[in-house]
Amino acid sequence: MKKLCSVLFLILMVGCSTNPVALNNAKNVPLSQALKFQSPKNGDTKLVVIRDSGITGSGCYAAIFVNGEKSALLNTSEKTTLYLPPGEYIIGVAFDGSGWCSMGKERQEQSVVLKSDNEKVVRVYTDGNGNLDIKPTTL
């Protein structure tokens, strides 16, 4: 019985973690969830945002914000490419919706500097407590 409980606990812990998704394995966000900064203009840089895979928070969209403007809604294992002029931006993430999707921390934000002719990739992850955050990634 003790072994069975240990195995079940381990399965639950693994099921509650999110895992990084490599850029080439992430699915493109559907057009209906791509809200802003989706069309490149001359001189723009790329910011790719990838949401981790995993069950934690998977029933809710992760809303991506650029300088406070909602720009995309991501499901798990999805990515969006945002086209922005070079410069410094505040990138935020929060669950989007009502009910369970309105719980958790307020929007979490990180500063990102985009340079000319350079692509930056960040990931959205969910911790074991169901809180979203943004991290840089090289995957």
Side-chain angles (χ1 to χ4, degrees), residues 6-19 53-56:
S6 296
V7 170
L8 288 174
F9 177 76
L10 182 61
I11 290 170
L12 286 173
M13 289 305 292
V14 170
C16 291
S17 62
T18 62
N19 299 304
S53 67
I55 194 166
T56 304

PDB file of all heavy atoms in Angstrom, residues 6-19 53-56:
ATOM      1  N   SER A   6       3.050   5.970  -2.875  1.00  0.00           N
ATOM      2  CA  SER A   6       4.239   6.684  -3.353  1.00  0.00           C
ATOM      3  C   SER A   6       4.192   6.870  -4.863  1.00  0.00           C
ATOM      4  O   SER A   6       4.503   7.938  -5.381  1.00  0.00           O
ATOM      5  CB  SER A   6       5.513   5.927  -2.964  1.00  0.00           C
ATOM      6  OG  SER A   6       5.651   5.883  -1.576  1.00  0.00           O
ATOM      7  N   VAL A   7       3.813   5.833  -5.572  1.00  0.00           N
ATOM      8  CA  VAL A   7       3.714   5.907  -7.028  1.00  0.00           C
ATOM      9  C   VAL A   7       2.632   6.910  -7.430  1.00  0.00           C
ATOM     10  O   VAL A   7       2.839   7.738  -8.322  1.00  0.00           O
ATOM     11  CB  VAL A   7       3.441   4.513  -7.642  1.00  0.00           C
ATOM     12  CG1 VAL A   7       3.096   4.625  -9.112  1.00  0.00           C
ATOM     13  CG2 VAL A   7       4.644   3.607  -7.434  1.00  0.00           C
ATOM     14  N   LEU A   8       1.478   6.854  -6.795  1.00  0.00           N
ATOM     15  CA  LEU A   8       0.401   7.796  -7.111  1.00  0.00           C
ATOM     16  C   LEU A   8       0.824   9.237  -6.827  1.00  0.00           C
ATOM     17  O   LEU A   8       0.551  10.144  -7.617  1.00  0.00           O
ATOM     18  CB  LEU A   8      -0.873   7.460  -6.326  1.00  0.00           C
ATOM     19  CG  LEU A   8      -1.615   6.216  -6.780  1.00  0.00           C
ATOM     20  CD1 LEU A   8      -2.778   5.911  -5.842  1.00  0.00           C
ATOM     21  CD2 LEU A   8      -2.116   6.376  -8.206  1.00  0.00           C
ATOM     22  N   PHE A   9       1.512   9.457  -5.723  1.00  0.00           N
ATOM     23  CA  PHE A   9       2.000  10.794  -5.391  1.00  0.00           C
ATOM     24  C   PHE A   9       2.972  11.286  -6.462  1.00  0.00           C
ATOM     25  O   PHE A   9       2.891  12.429  -6.913  1.00  0.00           O
ATOM     26  CB  PHE A   9       2.667  10.795  -4.013  1.00  0.00           C
ATOM     27  CG  PHE A   9       3.246  12.120  -3.638  1.00  0.00           C
ATOM     28  CD1 PHE A   9       2.419  13.163  -3.230  1.00  0.00           C
ATOM     29  CD2 PHE A   9       4.614  12.343  -3.686  1.00  0.00           C
ATOM     30  CE1 PHE A   9       2.944  14.393  -2.895  1.00  0.00           C
ATOM     31  CE2 PHE A   9       5.145  13.567  -3.354  1.00  0.00           C
ATOM     32  CZ  PHE A   9       4.311  14.604  -2.951  1.00  0.00           C
ATOM     33  N   LEU A  10       3.882  10.418  -6.890  1.00  0.00           N
ATOM     34  CA  LEU A  10       4.848  10.784  -7.918  1.00  0.00           C
ATOM     35  C   LEU A  10       4.147  11.132  -9.228  1.00  0.00           C
ATOM     36  O   LEU A  10       4.484  12.120  -9.878  1.00  0.00           O
ATOM     37  CB  LEU A  10       5.845   9.642  -8.133  1.00  0.00           C
ATOM     38  CG  LEU A  10       6.956   9.898  -9.143  1.00  0.00           C
ATOM     39  CD1 LEU A  10       7.813  11.078  -8.699  1.00  0.00           C
ATOM     40  CD2 LEU A  10       7.813   8.665  -9.303  1.00  0.00           C
ATOM     41  N   ILE A  11       3.153  10.369  -9.613  1.00  0.00           N
ATOM     42  CA  ILE A  11       2.396  10.640 -10.838  1.00  0.00           C
ATOM     43  C   ILE A  11       1.688  11.988 -10.740  1.00  0.00           C
ATOM     44  O   ILE A  11       1.701  12.781 -11.685  1.00  0.00           O
ATOM     45  CB  ILE A  11       1.397   9.502 -11.137  1.00  0.00           C
ATOM     46  CG1 ILE A  11       2.158   8.241 -11.554  1.00  0.00           C
ATOM     47  CG2 ILE A  11       0.401   9.910 -12.220  1.00  0.00           C
ATOM     48  CD1 ILE A  11       1.307   6.994 -11.644  1.00  0.00           C
ATOM     49  N   LEU A  12       1.083  12.260  -9.600  1.00  0.00           N
ATOM     50  CA  LEU A  12       0.404  13.542  -9.412  1.00  0.00           C
ATOM     51  C   LEU A  12       1.381  14.710  -9.475  1.00  0.00           C
ATOM     52  O   LEU A  12       1.081  15.747 -10.063  1.00  0.00           O
ATOM     53  CB  LEU A  12      -0.358  13.561  -8.087  1.00  0.00           C
ATOM     54  CG  LEU A  12      -1.635  12.746  -8.043  1.00  0.00           C
ATOM     55  CD1 LEU A  12      -2.205  12.717  -6.628  1.00  0.00           C
ATOM     56  CD2 LEU A  12      -2.660  13.293  -9.013  1.00  0.00           C
ATOM     57  N   MET A  13       2.548  14.555  -8.879  1.00  0.00           N
ATOM     58  CA  MET A  13       3.536  15.631  -8.893  1.00  0.00           C
ATOM     59  C   MET A  13       4.030  15.893 -10.308  1.00  0.00           C
ATOM     60  O   MET A  13       4.182  17.038 -10.716  1.00  0.00           O
ATOM     61  CB  MET A  13       4.714  15.290  -7.977  1.00  0.00           C
ATOM     62  CG  MET A  13       4.365  15.337  -6.500  1.00  0.00           C
ATOM     63  SD  MET A  13       3.665  16.925  -5.994  1.00  0.00           S
ATOM     64  CE  MET A  13       5.075  17.974  -6.184  1.00  0.00           C
ATOM     65  N   VAL A  14       4.291  14.867 -11.070  1.00  0.00           N
ATOM     66  CA  VAL A  14       4.732  15.035 -12.444  1.00  0.00           C
ATOM     67  C   VAL A  14       3.612  15.657 -13.273  1.00  0.00           C
ATOM     68  O   VAL A  14       3.835  16.533 -14.096  1.00  0.00           O
ATOM     69  CB  VAL A  14       5.190  13.688 -13.046  1.00  0.00           C
ATOM     70  CG1 VAL A  14       5.420  13.804 -14.534  1.00  0.00           C
ATOM     71  CG2 VAL A  14       6.453  13.206 -12.339  1.00  0.00           C
ATOM     72  N   GLY A  15       2.378  15.252 -13.039  1.00  0.00           N
ATOM     73  CA  GLY A  15       1.242  15.786 -13.782  1.00  0.00           C
ATOM     74  C   GLY A  15       0.972  17.237 -13.474  1.00  0.00           C
ATOM     75  O   GLY A  15       0.365  17.937 -14.262  1.00  0.00           O
ATOM     76  N   CYS A  16       1.454  17.737 -12.332  1.00  0.00           N
ATOM     77  CA  CYS A  16       1.192  19.115 -11.934  1.00  0.00           C
ATOM     78  C   CYS A  16       2.287  20.072 -12.361  1.00  0.00           C
ATOM     79  O   CYS A  16       2.161  21.267 -12.165  1.00  0.00           O
ATOM     80  CB  CYS A  16       1.004  19.205 -10.419  1.00  0.00           C
ATOM     81  SG  CYS A  16      -0.515  18.408  -9.872  1.00  0.00           S
ATOM     82  N   SER A  17       3.368  19.570 -12.917  1.00  0.00           N
ATOM     83  CA  SER A  17       4.437  20.470 -13.339  1.00  0.00           C
ATOM     84  C   SER A  17       4.266  20.805 -14.817  1.00  0.00           C
ATOM     85  O   SER A  17       3.665  20.047 -15.565  1.00  0.00           O
ATOM     86  CB  SER A  17       5.793  19.814 -13.099  1.00  0.00           C
ATOM     87  OG  SER A  17       5.909  18.646 -13.865  1.00  0.00           O
ATOM     88  N   THR A  18       4.798  21.960 -15.204  1.00  0.00           N
ATOM     89  CA  THR A  18       4.801  22.284 -16.621  1.00  0.00           C
ATOM     90  C   THR A  18       6.209  22.103 -17.149  1.00  0.00           C
ATOM     91  O   THR A  18       7.185  22.171 -16.408  1.00  0.00           O
ATOM     92  CB  THR A  18       4.301  23.727 -16.887  1.00  0.00           C
ATOM     93  OG1 THR A  18       5.177  24.657 -16.254  1.00  0.00           O
ATOM     94  CG2 THR A  18       2.884  23.909 -16.390  1.00  0.00           C
ATOM     95  N   ASN A  19       6.308  21.856 -18.429  1.00  0.00           N
ATOM     96  CA  ASN A  19       7.590  21.579 -19.053  1.00  0.00           C
ATOM     97  C   ASN A  19       7.824  22.525 -20.218  1.00  0.00           C
ATOM     98  O   ASN A  19       6.901  22.793 -20.989  1.00  0.00           O
ATOM     99  CB  ASN A  19       7.624  20.141 -19.571  1.00  0.00           C
ATOM    100  CG  ASN A  19       7.434  19.144 -18.456  1.00  0.00           C
ATOM    101  OD1 ASN A  19       8.178  19.147 -17.494  1.00  0.00           O
ATOM    102  ND2 ASN A  19       6.416  18.307 -18.569  1.00  0.00           N
ATOM    103  N   SER A  53       4.118  23.122 -21.760  1.00  0.00           N
ATOM    104  CA  SER A  53       3.135  22.043 -21.773  1.00  0.00           C
ATOM    105  C   SER A  53       2.881  21.608 -20.340  1.00  0.00           C
ATOM    106  O   SER A  53       3.670  21.907 -19.454  1.00  0.00           O
ATOM    107  CB  SER A  53       3.646  20.861 -22.602  1.00  0.00           C
ATOM    108  OG  SER A  53       4.763  20.282 -21.961  1.00  0.00           O
ATOM    109  N   GLY A  54       1.790  20.917 -20.110  1.00  0.00           N
ATOM    110  CA  GLY A  54       1.482  20.402 -18.777  1.00  0.00           C
ATOM    111  C   GLY A  54       0.042  20.666 -18.407  1.00  0.00           C
ATOM    112  O   GLY A  54      -0.653  21.453 -19.047  1.00  0.00           O
ATOM    113  N   ILE A  55      -0.393  20.004 -17.360  1.00  0.00           N
ATOM    114  CA  ILE A  55      -1.795  20.077 -16.977  1.00  0.00           C
ATOM    115  C   ILE A  55      -2.118  21.291 -16.110  1.00  0.00           C
ATOM    116  O   ILE A  55      -3.221  21.823 -16.159  1.00  0.00           O
ATOM    117  CB  ILE A  55      -2.240  18.769 -16.286  1.00  0.00           C
ATOM    118  CG1 ILE A  55      -3.742  18.709 -16.207  1.00  0.00           C
ATOM    119  CG2 ILE A  55      -1.590  18.628 -14.930  1.00  0.00           C
ATOM    120  CD1 ILE A  55      -4.282  17.340 -15.870  1.00  0.00           C
ATOM    121  N   THR A  56      -1.155  21.783 -15.329  1.00  0.00           N
ATOM    122  CA  THR A  56      -1.423  22.893 -14.420  1.00  0.00           C
ATOM    123  C   THR A  56      -1.825  24.130 -15.206  1.00  0.00           C
ATOM    124  O   THR A  56      -1.077  24.619 -16.041  1.00  0.00           O
ATOM    125  CB  THR A  56      -0.185  23.200 -13.552  1.00  0.00           C
ATOM    126  OG1 THR A  56       0.190  22.016 -12.874  1.00  0.00           O
ATOM    127  CG2 THR A  56      -0.492  24.282 -12.540  1.00  0.00           C
TER     128      THR A  56
END
